[in-house]
Amino acid sequence: MCDLYSISIIMKRFYFFTSLCVLLSSISLSAQNNIGSIEGGLFVGLNYATDKCGYASVKSGPGFGLEMRYIFYGSPIDLGIQYSFSRTNREYKTDLTYGDNTEGTNSSNLLVIGDYNFRMNKSSLFVGLGAGLAKFSNASPAENFYKDGKLISRDFVGNNKYSVCILPRIGIKLFNHLRFSIEYKIEERASSNVAFNVGFTIGGK
């Protein structure tokens, strides 16, 4: 369930990412040479699980992260590292008249990621692909089993486990700083999700 402890963990990570983004972005402004430049940014978004896993419905969950990219001058390709946190929420059937009937999975991702950019003055379209690891800090059931509309058993994923993560994405960058993207995190079944993100970057071209 999404209790106060889970919310405090999410907020602490968000503050940490924000502070780290400001620090790294200030460094990126001076880390430029004749080959390329560094761009850093922070993004936030909403995640939607791609598999209901036997639940009644899928609900949105928060996501945020930090990304640093090296942009090669004269090339449409950039390479970087992304660290992100995401939560996928699901709503289960219940015959109770009180309490929260939402459960979710938290995951932290560390990925190597690259984009191919179609640049147009101060804007660009991009398609990208990332690969790395996902760690589950809190996991909800991977499958629920019902009989006559009532929950009878669950198959849990477990905590502190790892999964390979593959991330294809598409997006647009406006005014050299504002980024909108759609990402598909392909990882452990209960945590795989589609994310709609908006971010702000500093540095680069």
Side-chain angles (χ1 to χ4, degrees):
M1 295 184 180
C2 187
D3 53 21
L4 292 177
Y5 177 75
S6 297
I7 294 175
S8 67
I9 293 292
I10 292 173
M11 294 307 298
K12 287 179 180 178
R13 292 184 180 183
F14 180 77
Y15 294 145
F16 170 76
F17 288 154
T18 303
S19 301
L20 187 59
C21 179
V22 172
L23 174 61
L24 294 179
S25 296
S26 64
I27 295 174
S28 74
L29 293 177
S30 59
Q32 300 187 9
N33 53 43
N34 293 328
I35 299 175
S37 60
I38 295 177
E39 178 179 79
L42 179 74
F43 63 87
V44 296
L46 292 176
N47 305 298
Y48 294 86
T50 56
D51 191 329
K52 291 194 297 184
C53 294
Y55 282 71
S57 63
V58 170
K59 301 179 69 176
S60 63
F64 49 86
L66 172 72
E67 189 169 317
M68 299 293 291
R69 292 179 298 278
Y70 192 85
I71 299 174
F72 296 92
Y73 293 153
S75 172
I77 296 175
D78 60 58
L79 296 174
I81 296 176
Q82 181 192 98
Y83 184 78
S84 65
F85 170 85
S86 61
R87 179 178 177 86
T88 54
N89 290 320
R90 297 175 179 84
E91 189 175 51
Y92 58 85
K93 298 177 182 178
T94 178
D95 53 5
L96 300 177
T97 58
Y98 60 90
D100 184 10
N101 64 338
T102 299
E103 291 184 335
T105 299
N106 298 335
S107 67
S108 299
N109 300 75
L110 181 61
L111 308 173
V112 176
I113 199 161
D115 292 322
Y116 188 95
N117 300 275
F118 303 89
R119 297 190 174 95
M120 303 169 290
N121 296 324
K122 293 185 178 182
S123 300
S124 63
L125 299 173
F126 62 87
V127 294
L129 183 66
L133 288 176
K135 179 183 179 181
F136 309 105
S137 58
N138 182 40
S140 66
E143 187 71 79
N144 281 348
F145 301 95
Y146 294 93
K147 183 177 181 180
D148 299 327
K150 295 183 178 180
L151 180 66
I152 57 174
S153 66
R154 298 177 178 178
D155 178 18
F156 281 87
V157 176
N159 289 322
N160 297 319
K161 291 188 176 181
Y162 293 86
S163 168
V164 173
C165 177
I166 304 296
L167 185 152
R169 70 179 179 184
I170 60 173
I172 184 171
K173 181 180 178 182
L174 302 175
F175 314 114
N176 286 335
H177 296 291
L178 191 61
R179 286 172 64 97
F180 298 91
S181 65
I182 302 175
E183 299 180 342
Y184 179 21
K185 289 190 179 78
I186 306 170
E187 47 190 50
E188 197 282 326
R189 179 186 174 193
S191 187
S192 292
N193 66 86
V194 174
F196 299 88
N197 298 325
V198 56
F200 187 82
T201 63
I202 299 176
K205 292 186 177 181

